[in-house]
Amino acid sequence: RFDIFCTDTMFIFRFYLEALTQLVLSCAIAYWIIERRNSSKKVASIKAKYEESMNDERRKRKALEKKLLEEFEQEREQSQVEVEEKFEAIRDSFRALLKKKLEERNEKIGDFEAFKLEKEREISMLQKQLSALKEEKKNQQEGTSLRADSIG
C-alpha cells in the first residue's frame, strides 16, 4: 500500500508540478506580452514626444526664419530709403549747382550784351565822328579848292 500511496502521490505531485509549470509559463508569457505592450506604448510615447519636439523646433526655426526675413526686408527697405534720400540730396545739390552756373552764364551773357551795346554805341558815335570828319575834310577840300579858284 505504501507503494501505491507513493505512486499516487508522485502522480499527483507530478500533475501539480506540471500544472504549476504551465501556470508559471503562462504567467511569464502574459508578463512578457504586457511588458511588450508597455514598451510599445513607451516607445510610442517617446516617439510622440520626439515628433512633438521636432515640430516645435520646426515651428521655432520657421518663426526665426520669418523674423530674420522681416528684419532683412526692413533693413533693405531702410537702406533703399537712405539711398533714395542720398540720391535726392545729390540731385538737389546738382540742380542748385546747375542753377548757379546758369545764373553765372546769364550774368556773363547780360554783361556781354551790355558790353556789346556799349561798344555798338561807341562804334555808332565813332562812325558819326568819322562821318563828321569826312564831311569836314570834304568841306575843307572844297574850301581849299574854292580858295585856290578864288586865288587863281
Side-chain angles (χ1 to χ4, degrees):
R1 284 190 177 205
F2 184 70
D3 287 339
I4 295 174
F5 177 74
C6 281
T7 310
D8 288 339
T9 307
M10 283 297 266
F11 177 74
I12 293 170
F13 181 70
R14 193 181 296 160
F15 176 76
Y16 282 129
L17 187 61
E18 285 180 16
L20 187 62
T21 305
Q22 287 293 329
L23 182 66
V24 169
L25 188 59
S26 296
C27 287
I29 290 172
Y31 180 77
W32 179 74
I33 290 172
I34 290 171
E35 281 298 313
R36 191 161 177 217
R37 281 187 184 166
N38 286 343
S39 66
S40 295
K41 288 179 183 176
K42 287 179 185 177
V43 167
S45 171
I46 291 170
K47 186 177 179 182
K49 287 179 183 178
Y50 173 76
E51 288 175 358
E52 185 178 330
S53 68
M54 289 304 291
N55 288 337
D56 288 342
E57 287 296 320
R58 282 188 203 113
R59 276 189 237 112
K60 288 178 185 177
R61 188 174 356 112
K62 285 183 181 181
L64 181 62
E65 287 174 358
K66 186 177 180 181
K67 181 181 175 185
L68 290 174
L69 185 62
E70 288 173 357
E71 288 177 3
F72 174 74
E73 287 294 324
Q74 287 175 350
E75 288 176 7
R76 188 174 65 95
E77 288 173 3
Q78 181 66 27
S79 65
Q80 186 175 1
V81 167
E82 289 173 0
V83 166
E84 288 174 358
E85 289 173 353
K86 288 178 182 179
F87 177 74
E88 289 292 324
I90 290 170
R91 189 174 68 191
D92 291 343
S93 65
F94 180 73
R95 283 183 179 167
L97 180 64
L98 188 61
K99 186 176 180 180
K100 182 180 174 185
K101 292 290 182 182
L102 188 60
E103 288 173 358
E104 289 175 2
R105 180 179 163 262
N106 288 340
E107 286 177 14
K108 287 179 182 178
I109 288 174
D111 292 345
F112 177 73
E113 290 292 326
F115 176 76
K116 182 180 167 185
L117 285 174
E118 184 182 326
K119 292 303 174 185
E120 285 176 354
R121 283 188 205 127
E122 286 179 14
I123 290 172
S124 173
M125 193 185 318
L126 288 174
Q127 284 177 344
K128 287 178 185 176
Q129 287 177 358
L130 182 62
S131 296
L133 286 174
K134 283 183 182 178
E135 192 66 38
E136 191 179 307
K137 188 176 179 183
K138 186 178 178 187
N139 288 340
Q140 280 180 1
Q141 284 179 355
E142 284 178 10
T144 33
S145 63
L146 284 174
R147 274 192 206 156
D149 286 340
S150 58
I151 297 179

